[in-house]
């Protein structure tokens, strides 16, 4: 069984994907305590190191290195400042890459990394990974096209060690009009759950920014992007529809109760299967939303992992 070291692992979206692909995760790391709590509750066999990656000085040897360094500097919901220190955490990933020298690596981040003001950072990542001895490929993928009930575009950077002399080919979509297989819908993912799971969804009002655009999809559609902020979570289809009043202003068409997706629904819409949320000291409602919204959809990471050439593991 091929082995994996996982960095910036969060609650385990990437790792759930590589596990489904038939890999063994030796070590995981993140700085967020509740992310570790959720991860260990679901994958107790993995050695999870809680703390700043800069403080991790040794890594086990592995066949594959994966990482999803934080994206606040690139994302729509973040500050979007090119000079933020968080934008250079790829150098810590590169340090581990040079230390471990795995056969391959996979990096995931928000698609905002391809914006013009971040092009230099994306180019530098590719340069650093190339100089480490890897043939590097990058592409933006949409999770909906790989069996996730959600519109979620993310960039993947994949490298294969040069001595293998093979190039990575990204997986072809498995869902959507071009494939003959329907998208997984909101109803497919969460239709079996109770409509009003009191205590599991953020039940405060909808502020002006929330009402600046349409946040709702119907049961037979895919969800809008699941986010890490409870206040900005998309609406459940049980909510009334929204209509546009003017630029950056929407309203509900009916005067009845609306609600956001619960954290448990958000996990299913991300492609997790029965994710366990332990009740620990760090387990606030907001933190449950945070770890889910920060995660990589496991089916998408699984597809990217399975596309690695089989000769790497022979």
């Amino acid at each position: 069984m091929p082995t994996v070291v996982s960095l910036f692992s969060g609650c385990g979206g990437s790792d759930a994907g590589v596990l489904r692909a038939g890999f063994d995760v030796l070590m995981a790391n993140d700085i967020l305590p509740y992310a570790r709590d959720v991860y260990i509750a679901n994958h107790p066999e993995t050695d999870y190191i809680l703390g700043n990656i800069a403080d991790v000085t040794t890594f086990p040897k592995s066949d594959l290195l994966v990482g999803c360094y934080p994206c606040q500097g690139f994302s729509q919901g973040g500050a979007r400042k090119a000079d933020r220190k968080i934008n250079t955490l790829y150098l810590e990933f590169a340090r581990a890459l040079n230390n471990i020298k795995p056969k391959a690596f996979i990096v995931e981040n928000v698609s905002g990394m391809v914006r013009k003001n971040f092009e230099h950072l994306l180019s530098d990542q590719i340069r650093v990974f190339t100089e480490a001895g890897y043939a590097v490929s990058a592409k933006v993928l949409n999770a909906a096209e790989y069996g996730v009930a959600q519109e979620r575009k993310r960039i993947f950077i994949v490298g294969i060690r040069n001595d293998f002399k093979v190039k990575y080919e990204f997986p072809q979509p498995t869902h959507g009009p071009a494939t003959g297989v329907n998208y997984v819908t909101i109803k497919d993912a969460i239709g079996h759950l109770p409509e009003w799971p009191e205590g599991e969804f953020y039940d405060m009002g909808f502020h002006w920014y929330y009402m600046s655009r349409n946040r709702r999809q119907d049961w037979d559609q895919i969800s809008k992007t699941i986010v890490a902020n409870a206040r900005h979570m998309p609406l459940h289809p049980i909510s009334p529809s929204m209509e546009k009043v003017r630029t950056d202003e929407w309203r509900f068409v009916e005067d009845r109760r609306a609600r956001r997706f619960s954290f448990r629904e958000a996990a299913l819409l991300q492609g997790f299967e029965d994710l366990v949320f332990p009740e620990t000291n760090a387990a606030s409602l907001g933190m449950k939303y945070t770890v889910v919204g920060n995660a990589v959809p496991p089916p998408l990471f699984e597809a990217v992992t399975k596309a690695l050439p089989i000769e790497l593991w022979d």
Side-chain angles (χ1 to χ4, degrees):
M1 183 180 293
T3 56
V4 181
V5 166
S6 169
L7 306 180
F8 310 99
S9 314
C11 70
S14 61
D15 297 12
V18 297
L19 287 168
R20 294 182 196 179
F23 289 66
D24 179 25
V25 182
L26 303 178
M27 172 197 145
N29 160 259
D30 204 275
I31 200 168
L32 196 62
Y34 192 62
R36 178 191 180 277
D37 294 342
V38 174
Y39 189 111
I40 293 300
N42 291 275
H43 308 294
E45 68 284 354
T46 299
D47 178 22
Y48 197 110
I49 299 175
L50 179 66
N52 191 325
I53 183 60
D55 297 329
V56 181
T57 57
T58 60
F59 305 90
K61 292 299 179 182
S62 66
D63 298 305
L64 178 66
L65 176 65
V66 303
C68 311
Y69 23 86
C71 61
Q72 289 92 329
F74 308 109
S75 70
Q76 289 278 14
R80 283 185 277 177
K81 294 181 178 179
D83 60 348
R84 291 191 71 195
K85 186 176 180 180
I86 201 169
N87 292 344
T88 57
L89 284 173
Y90 65 88
L91 296 175
E92 292 293 343
F93 184 87
R95 177 173 64 88
L97 185 66
N98 280 292
N99 182 295
I100 300 169
K101 290 293 184 184
K103 297 176 180 178
F105 73 84
I106 302 173
V107 163
E108 179 267 2
N109 214 306
V110 294
S111 60
M113 192 186 289
V114 302
R115 292 194 191 99
K116 188 171 181 60
N117 55 328
F118 294 133
E119 281 180 346
H120 66 291
L121 289 171
L122 177 57
S123 295
D124 198 54
Q125 289 172 72
I126 293 173
R127 177 191 64 80
V128 168
F129 300 149
T130 300
E131 290 178 354
Y134 291 82
V136 182
S137 303
K139 188 174 183 179
V140 173
L141 303 178
N142 188 345
E145 295 182 339
Y146 298 89
V148 180
Q150 176 195 170
E151 176 79 13
R152 191 181 190 91
K153 294 180 180 178
R154 293 294 185 266
I155 189 169
F156 281 82
I157 306 172
V158 181
I160 298 176
R161 211 171 62 207
N162 286 334
D163 54 299
F164 286 96
K165 295 179 172 57
V166 292
K167 182 175 174 58
Y168 181 78
E169 298 291 341
F170 283 94
Q172 293 298 309
T174 57
H175 294 69
T179 70
V181 178
N182 292 333
Y183 290 125
V184 177
T185 67
I186 296 174
K187 186 173 184 179
D188 293 331
I190 66 169
H192 61 290
L193 296 179
E195 292 183 341
W196 295 98
E198 302 295 345
E200 292 193 356
F201 61 89
Y202 184 81
D203 198 19
M204 301 298 286
F206 302 100
H207 50 82
W208 69 266
Y209 179 77
Y210 193 93
M211 303 301 289
S212 67
R213 57 190 173 95
N214 185 14
R215 307 276 180 163
R216 182 187 177 278
Q217 296 282 75
D218 287 322
W219 282 109
D220 61 353
Q221 296 177 295
I222 58 174
S223 171
K224 293 179 181 295
T225 302
I226 297 300
V227 296
N229 188 314
R231 292 200 307 164
H232 297 161
M233 184 62 56
L235 289 164
H236 189 283
I238 198 173
S239 306
S241 298
M242 300 183 76
E243 63 180 1
K244 190 172 185 177
V245 180
R246 58 183 65 87
T247 301
D248 295 331
E249 184 178 347
W250 291 67
R251 65 186 175 197
F252 293 116
V253 299
E254 299 174 70
D255 184 18
R256 58 183 177 85
R257 193 181 182 192
R259 76 164 176 90
R260 301 162 176 86
F261 288 122
S262 71
F263 65 84
R264 201 174 307 280
E265 292 163 343
L268 290 169
L269 292 166
Q270 282 273 59
F272 284 98
E273 296 174 354
D274 300 321
L275 190 67
V276 175
F277 294 88
E279 293 301 329
T280 66
N281 291 337
S284 66
L285 180 65
M287 188 54 65
K288 291 174 181 177
Y289 275 111
T290 294
V291 298
V292 169
N294 281 338
V296 187
L300 177 56
F301 212 93
E302 177 186 6
V304 172
T305 303
K306 283 183 173 179
L308 288 164
I310 190 68
E311 54 261 42
L312 296 182
W313 325 121
D314 289 344

